[in-house]
Structure formats: structure tokens, C-alpha cells
């Protein structure tokens, strides 16, 4: 059978753009459809604008810290509109680069929503016509999930938070995953009164418990209110403010309510049923290790598969897909040892197993941890401490996890992912020369195994 294209990609985000470019580079006839702006979540309303807002919000602390180093900063003022305009200009530039990379690679670009007609056919909605392709790649990403409660339509999500017409005086952020906590730090740094409301007992499900506890303490010390074990059952609109009604009855009055309660795959109304593609419980496209769906001609990568929802993972999956389908080198995706950051304030950087996971997987585990006041804090007067924790498999001496809370934690986690991937042992870390004076030198100078307080007392 003759097809219009060898590959049709639905979705021009991190994964889709990379797959389209790389596949075109092999000589394949490739087309891509994007319904909004090229660059997708990461560029338009995710990682990039988020990090720019984090930088903006960190200046408040920097101005304060500067006094201890002899600076008189006066009373700084902040202009939200200027920040958003500058951010938008940068996003526009990046989105343009994504688009021109596709053109340069010889990819046919359709600015439209595309939906399935069958296993080899997609309908281009703006043009009201269909095209056929030998292989179709689903890279449509995800969308914020807001639980349906009375008044949930009054809440914003991270999508809207990037373009608020003005900063609120107060905000209640529902959800304590990484997006909620990052926005808590952003708004707090910009002078907004922030309350984080979470139905569970702990922040950041899936992260090492010491990091979660350390972050909760640090956020509260900075002035962010944390309401754990609190469930919101309704949002009421008052004359000027909103009232979040909790299950226990205690209301939370706020200028703005934001939901950061997870994201769901963007599969509704995509016509995947017409193509016979199997979906999982959350609506994710079910794929094998080669990103192939239940239908041979259809593959899926990135957030729509709801595996590890991060930009570098979507990009890696795109490249493994191209290896498998267009380069004749079937390559499974390796989801192990992915370094992860939370750009909360203070920041988290982590790679490998948590202590809890290691205790389940290894016969014995040694823990090394240290908590200290970074050198910079001595003059700035900040009481915030930095936390570092190393998880070691007793049987092999291999370092299986490192968890850091404090300045530059994300940068450290990226570098640490390399030795951990290579199977570095604690002895390798110990044999590495320290770089002084840094915070990271603690990673090669931790010698004493951590013992729970009761074990220490019994010695
Ligand atoms: C607030 C926030 C902060 C984040 N921070 C980070 C971070 O710091 N680090 C990190 O690694 N990850 C971060 N992420 C996650 C990251 O953005 C995603 O993992 C990544 O963008 C997934 O890429 P993707 O290609 O799967 O999908 P996306 O980037 O979401 O791209 C999907 C694209 O498909 C388009 N589309 C959807 N349906 C159709 C259709 N039917 N037809 C045509 N086009 C369609 C959409 O418009 C979109 O452009 C963050 C996400 C959010 C929301």
C-alpha cells in the first residue's frame, strides 16, 4: 500500500519534534501536526517558563542575604507584567527555533489538531482532509487534572499561572507534588501569601522521606503555610475572594486558588479507539519497551504514555523510537537512574533509589547523611541547612541513591547520575579528591555511617 508519509507525528512538543527531526534525517518522509505552539508543554507552559519564574522569585532572598556581605540594597520593587512580557518574548523565540528546526530537517509541518481515522490515517481538522502514513507517532503530552468538586471552575492550574494579569495578594495551592511546591516557592518569593493544601500526610510522594521532611521544614521557616491531611470539598466565590471549604469545615480564604493535583494523558477525543489502540486506566497509551502500542503501525512517546513524565525522558524515547523504526536498531528505553529535580526553594536534586526503595531491593543498606549550614549562610545569616544523603548497597558497596536538599542540588544531581550509572562504589566516592570550599565536597567526605538515634544510644 502507498502512504503519503513514512511517519506522521501528532504533537509538536519535546518528544514529537525530536522524533520528527531525527526520522527525517534518515531520509524518511515525515510530517508533524501541532495544534497550538511548537515546543509543547516544556517550552510554552512547563520547565522553561517555570525556571525563569523561579529565578525571578529567588532575588527576594538574594537581596536579603546581600546585607550580610556589606550591600545596602534599599527597598527593591517588582513588576510582574515586565517579567511576564520578558518571559513571553523568550518563549516566542524558543518556539520559533523548534519550528525552524523542523523546516530545516525537511519535515512537513501542519499547524492543526490531528485525530485518528484508522491505524494509518489521520484527519487534519483545520484543513478538513485526511493523510495516510506507514507509521504514526502519538506525542500529544498531558494536561492538568482538576478533580470535579463544586466550584472547581474557579481554580486556575499551572497553565494559567504563567500568564496571570496581576499577582494575587494570597494564593492557596492545592497539591504537594513538584509543580505545586515549585509554584509555592515562586509566589512566595514574589511576595504572595502562600498556603499549600494537601490531602496526604507528606509532600512529594516518591521522594526520599528525609528530603520531604527537610523541605517541609524549610518552606514553613520561610513563611509558607502547609496544611497537610486537608481535603478541599468545594470552592465558593465571594465578592472579592474565594473560600476553599475543607472536609473538616475549616475554610481557607484566598485571593486565588490553584490546583496542582497531577496531569492526565491528552488522549480524549483523539480517536484512538477508531485505530484500535489500547489505553490504560488513566487514559495513557499502553506501550511496550520499544514504545509500540497495541497496534503495530502506532507508537507513543512522552507524557501520553504516563511512564516518567519529564522532558529529557520524552526526548530519549523519541531517539530510541527512531533507532528502532528508522535505523534498524531496535532499542528499548532505559528508565533507570533518571536524575530528578524539584525547583522548590530550597531546591531538591536526586538520583537513584530512596532509602525506602533500597531497603526493599537490597539485603542490607548503609546510609550516610549530613546536614550543615552552607558557607554562604554564615554571613547572610540564613539559618537554612543543606541536606545530603547517600544510600549504599552493603553487599556491593555500590552507591544506589543520592539525595540533596539545598542550593545547586539539581546541578549536582545531573553530575551524580554519571557515577551512579557506572556503578560507582562508596569506596570510589571516598577515593575522590574533595574540591574545597564547596558544598559538593561533602559527597566525597562523608565517612560515618548514619545510625538511627536509638542504635547510637545503645552503643
Ligand atoms: C508546570 C510544569 C513544569 C514542568 N517542569 C519540568 C522540569 O523542570 N523538568 C522536566 O524534565 N519536565 C518538566 N515538566 C514536564 C515536561 O514539560 C513534560 O514531561 C514534557 O513536555 C513532555 O513532552 P511530550 O513531548 O510528551 O509532550 P508535550 O510537551 O506536552 O507536547 C505535546 C504537544 O502535543 C500537542 N497536541 C496535543 N494534542 C494534539 C493533537 N490532537 N493534534 C496536534 N497537536 C496536539 C500539544 O499542543 C503539545 O504541544 C513540567 C511540566 C509542567 C506542566
Amino acid at each position: 500500500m502507498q502512504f503519503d508519509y513514512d511517519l506522521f507525528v501528532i504533537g509538536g512538543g519535546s518528544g514529537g519534534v525530536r522524533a520528527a527531526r531525527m526520522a527525517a534525517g534518515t531520509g524518511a518522509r515525515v510530517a508533524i501536526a501541532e495544534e497550538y505552539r511548537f515546543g509543547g508543554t516544556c517550552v510554552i507552559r512547563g520547565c522553561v517558563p517555570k525556571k525563569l519564574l523561579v529565578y525571578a522569585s529567588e532575588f527576594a532572598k538574594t537581596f536579603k542575604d546581600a546585607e550580610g556581605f556589606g550591600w545596602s540594597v534599599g527597598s527593591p520593587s517588582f513588576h510582574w507584567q515586565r517579567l511576564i512580557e520578558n518571559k513571553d518574548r523568550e518563549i516566542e523565540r524558543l518556539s520559533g527555533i523548534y519550528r525552524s528546526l523542523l523546516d530545516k530537517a525537511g519535515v512537513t509541518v501542519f499547524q492543526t489538531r490531528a485525530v485518528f481515522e484508522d491505524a494509518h490515517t489521520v484527519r487534519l481538522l483545520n484543513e478538513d482532509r485526511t493523510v495516510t502514513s506507514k507509521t504514526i507517532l502519538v506525542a500529544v503530552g498531558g494536561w492538568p487534572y482538576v478533580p470535579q468538586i463544586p466550584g472547581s471552575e474557579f481554580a486556575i492550574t499551572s497553565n494559567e499561572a504563567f500568564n496571570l494579569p496581576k499577582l494575587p495578594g494570597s494564593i492557596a495551592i492545592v497539591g504537594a507534588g513538584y509543580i505545586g511546591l515549585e509554584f509555592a516557592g515562586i509566589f512566595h518569593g514574589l511576595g504572595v501569601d502562600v498556603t499549600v493544601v494537601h490531602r496526604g500526610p507528606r509532600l512529594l510522594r516518591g521522594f526520599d522521606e528525609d528530603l520531604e521532611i527537610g523541605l517541609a521544614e524549610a518552606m514553613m521557616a520561610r513563611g509558607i503555610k502547609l496544611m497537610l491531611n486537608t481535603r478541599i470539598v468545594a470552592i465558593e466565590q465571594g465578592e472579592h475572594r474565594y473560600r476553599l471549604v475543607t472536609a473538616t469545615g475549616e475554610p481557607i480564604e484566598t485571593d486565588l486558588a490553584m490546583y496542582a493535583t497531577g496531569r492526565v494523558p491528552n488522549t480524549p477525543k483523539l480517536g484512538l479507539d477508531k485505530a484500535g489502540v489500547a489505553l490504560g486506566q488513566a487514559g495513557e497509551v499502553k506501550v511496550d519497551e520499544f514504545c509500540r502500542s497495541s497496534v503495530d503501525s502506532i507508537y507513543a512517546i512522552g507524557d501520553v504514555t504516563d511512564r516518567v513524565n519529564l522532558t529529557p525522558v520524552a526526548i530519549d524515547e523519541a531517539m530510541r523510537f527512531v533507532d528502532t523504526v528508522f535505523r534498524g536498531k531496535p532499542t528499548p528505553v532505559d528508565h533507570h537512574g533518571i536524575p530528578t529535580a524539584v525547583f522548590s526553594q530550597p531546591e531538591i536534586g536526586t538520583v537513584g533509589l530512596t532509602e525506602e526503595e533500597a531497603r526493599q531491593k537490597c539485603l542490607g543498606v548503609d546510609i550516610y547523611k549530613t546536614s550543615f549550614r552552607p558557607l554562604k549562610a554564615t554571613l547572610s545569616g540564613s539559618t537554612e541547612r543543606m541536606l545530603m544523603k547517600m544510600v549504599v548497597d552493603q553487599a556491593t558497596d555500590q552507591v544506589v541513591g543520592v539525595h540533596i536538599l539545598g542550593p545547586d542540588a539539581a546541578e549536582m544531581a545531573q553530575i551524580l547520575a554519571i557515577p551512579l550509572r557506572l556503578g560507582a562504589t562508596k569506596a570510589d566516592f571516598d577515593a575522590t579528591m574533595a574540591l574545597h570550599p564547596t558544598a559538593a565536597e561533602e559527597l566525597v567526605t562523608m565517612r560515618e555511617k548514619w545510625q538511627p538515634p536509638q542504635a547510637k544510644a545503645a552503643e
Side-chain angles (χ1 to χ4, degrees):
M1 187 179 164
Q2 281 287 352
F3 297 104
D4 297 328
Y5 299 102
D6 299 315
L7 173 66
F8 194 98
V9 181
I10 308 181
S14 308
V17 169
R18 180 62 64 96
R21 283 174 49 210
M22 294 295 130
T26 67
R29 295 169 307 143
V30 182
I32 188 169
E34 166 56 50
E35 67 176 339
Y36 184 53
R37 291 167 71 187
F38 282 93
T41 304
C42 177
V43 173
I44 312 295
R45 37 176 128 76
C47 337
V48 175
K50 180 267 303 280
K51 192 83 189 279
L52 293 175
L53 264 52
V54 169
Y55 284 135
S57 63
E58 283 173 342
F59 281 100
K61 183 170 185 306
T62 307
F63 293 139
K64 208 163 141 217
D65 288 353
E67 284 172 25
F69 290 90
W71 289 92
S72 299
V73 186
S75 59
S77 60
F78 169 72
H79 301 276
W80 171 252
Q81 294 294 358
R82 196 192 311 153
L83 169 64
I84 296 307
E85 278 164 28
N86 290 346
K87 180 264 295 177
D88 285 345
R89 201 170 311 118
E90 175 58 10
I91 299 313
E92 191 65 44
R93 189 184 73 83
L94 289 175
S95 180
I97 290 176
Y98 270 74
R99 169 70 209 244
S100 69
L101 285 173
L102 287 164
D103 292 336
K104 277 188 202 140
V107 176
T108 304
V109 174
F110 294 106
Q111 188 71 62
T112 176
R113 180 170 173 80
V115 297
F116 279 90
E117 288 280 316
D118 64 38
H120 289 284
T121 313
V122 290
R123 174 165 293 279
L124 309 176
L125 294 190
N126 283 0
E127 307 188 10
D128 199 20
R129 68 180 175 106
T130 56
V131 292
T132 58
S133 182
K134 184 170 181 220
T135 303
I136 300 174
L137 180 67
V138 185
V140 294
W143 199 251
Y145 165 76
V146 179
Q148 288 309 302
I149 55 165
S152 58
E153 69 275 14
F154 298 129
I156 64 158
T157 66
S158 59
N159 283 354
E160 294 75 38
F162 287 115
N163 285 301
L164 292 176
K166 66 181 178 71
L167 271 184
S170 61
I171 189 165
I173 298 177
V174 183
Y178 82 95
I179 293 178
L181 298 184
E182 289 176 342
F183 272 99
I186 289 169
F187 284 119
H188 175 72
L190 298 179
V192 178
D193 183 15
V194 178
T195 305
V196 175
V197 189
H198 178 48
R199 64 179 181 178
R202 281 164 52 172
L203 312 179
L204 285 176
R205 193 158 40 95
F207 284 71
D208 192 275
E209 194 176 355
D210 279 318
L211 292 186
E212 297 171 29
I213 295 169
L215 179 62
E217 286 171 1
M219 286 176 68
M220 286 191 290
R222 285 192 183 204
I224 293 173
K225 292 181 225 65
L226 295 184
M227 295 180 68
L228 302 178
N229 300 307
T230 306
R231 202 160 52 83
I232 304 297
V233 292
I235 304 177
E236 295 167 357
Q237 189 179 32
E239 206 176 321
H240 300 294
R241 310 189 80 199
Y242 296 100
R243 173 179 290 149
L244 274 57
V245 183
T246 63
T248 52
E250 190 196 345
I252 303 163
E253 302 278 345
T254 181
D255 291 341
L256 194 62
M258 170 172 165
Y259 264 72
T261 37
R263 292 171 62 80
V264 285
N266 235 336
T267 48
K269 299 190 187 145
L270 195 57
L272 283 160
D273 49 334
K274 291 187 185 169
V277 174
L279 301 182
Q281 289 225 318
E284 77 279 14
V285 176
K286 288 216 257 180
V287 288
D288 65 13
E289 75 226 273
F290 298 103
C291 299
R292 186 174 22 221
S293 78
S294 59
V295 176
D296 276 354
S297 59
I298 300 175
Y299 288 70
I301 55 168
D303 286 11
V304 74
T305 62
D306 201 18
R307 289 174 289 178
V308 182
N309 297 337
L310 293 170
T311 289
V313 179
I315 291 173
D316 193 73
E317 289 169 0
M319 297 198 295
R320 303 295 78 85
F321 159 76
V322 174
D323 285 344
T324 300
V325 179
F326 292 97
R327 293 207 176 103
K329 273 191 304 180
T331 314
V333 178
D334 181 0
H335 286 124
H336 293 107
I338 298 170
T340 305
V342 181
F343 295 100
S344 46
Q345 297 172 45
E347 183 174 294
I348 280 179
T350 176
V351 55
L353 303 180
T354 64
E355 178 177 346
E356 208 176 329
E357 287 167 344
R359 290 202 185 282
Q360 279 164 15
K361 287 196 177 155
C362 310
L363 280 176
V365 170
D366 287 332
I367 301 296
Y368 295 82
K369 58 180 168 182
T370 175
S371 155
F372 57 96
R373 240 178 125 198
L375 180 60
K376 194 172 174 190
T378 55
L379 293 199
S380 73
S382 167
T383 52
E384 224 160 67
R385 298 181 75 79
M386 183 139 194
L387 174 78
M388 289 185 183
K389 175 170 178 179
M390 203 176 266
V391 183
V392 179
D393 180 354
Q394 260 174 12
T396 59
D397 194 39
Q398 206 175 320
V399 178
V400 291
V402 185
H403 310 283
I404 303 170
L405 174 74
D408 303 320
E411 302 289 342
M412 288 182 229
Q414 173 65 89
I415 305 294
L416 284 162
I418 303 168
L420 259 68
R421 189 172 179 84
L422 293 173
T425 59
K426 179 69 171 66
D428 292 324
F429 274 76
D430 293 347
T432 303
M433 199 68 82
L435 195 164
H436 185 70
T438 61
E441 68 184 303
E442 297 286 333
L443 293 167
V444 297
T445 55
M446 282 191 268
R447 292 286 185 273
E448 214 183 306
K449 281 181 204 163
W450 180 81
Q451 292 179 330
Q454 56 284 31
K456 251 190 171 160
E459 270 178 4

